[in-house]
Amino acid sequence: MKHFENDIQTTLEKALLKYDLSPVEFSFLHYLYDQYDSKASLLEIKDSLKLSSAAVSRMAVRLESKDCRPIVRYHSDDNQKAVCLKITESGIAFFKKTSKVVDESLNKSFASEDFQDLRDMILATNTQTE
């Protein structure tokens, strides 16, 4: 299973390379995109993605500096100390474009014979233990 996970990670890295985006940065944008108002605090993103505060801050700076400006930083009206991020309209378009590439890569990986064999092995193991 670990081998398959590493293969997927490598496939996603290669697919997102042409967008100068890492899989974790894609997850960062995905989190913002999925929010009702497309906003979140750095703390919410940190907790959701299980990353350090420093890693989230570095990613925010990297994403803010991209040509398409996918996110903007602001301070919460409720708490001026809280740093928040919002995905921009260009960020939504960028996310949707990269999301198609990620979906295609994942669909291909999950349709592979290796994955099907792994799935069958796991299902057989689960059936034996019941």
Side-chain angles (χ1 to χ4, degrees):
M1 184 127 66
K2 190 68 173 165
H3 171 71
F4 186 71
E5 182 182 346
N6 289 338
D7 287 350
I8 288 177
Q9 183 72 18
T10 301
T11 300
L12 288 177
E13 286 170 358
K14 288 178 183 176
L16 290 169
L17 192 61
K18 66 181 172 186
Y19 298 101
D20 190 29
L21 198 66
S22 73
V24 178
E25 290 167 337
F26 174 81
S27 295
F28 190 109
L29 289 176
H30 192 261
Y31 181 80
L32 285 173
Y33 179 79
D34 277 349
Q35 298 309 300
Y36 168 72
D37 53 4
S38 299
K39 302 175 185 177
S41 70
L42 284 176
L43 184 59
E44 291 169 330
I45 296 168
K46 174 185 114 34
D47 290 345
S48 174
L49 299 181
K50 310 274 190 271
L51 298 170
S52 69
S53 295
V56 172
S57 292
R58 280 191 305 273
M59 265 191 277
V61 167
R62 183 162 146 58
L63 289 169
E64 281 177 304
S65 66
K66 286 193 163 301
D67 290 340
C68 71
R69 302 278 188 229
I71 63 170
V72 291
R73 187 183 300 242
Y74 67 95
H75 290 280
S76 169
D77 292 336
D78 301 333
N79 177 358
Q80 285 297 310
K81 291 182 180 180
V83 176
C84 298
L85 299 167
K86 178 175 174 58
I87 192 167
T88 62
E89 289 298 320
S90 62
I92 290 171
F94 181 68
F95 170 75
K96 286 181 177 180
K97 186 184 342 178
T98 57
S99 184
K100 288 178 184 175
V101 171
V102 167
D103 286 347
E104 288 170 9
S105 294
L106 290 176
N107 287 338
K108 185 187 270 186
S109 292
F110 291 127
S112 74
E113 189 174 322
D114 286 344
F115 178 77
Q116 296 302 317
D117 291 344
L118 176 63
R119 186 193 65 135
D120 293 344
M121 184 178 71
I122 291 170
L123 289 174
T125 303
N126 286 342
T127 304
Q128 292 171 1
T129 58
E130 291 177 359

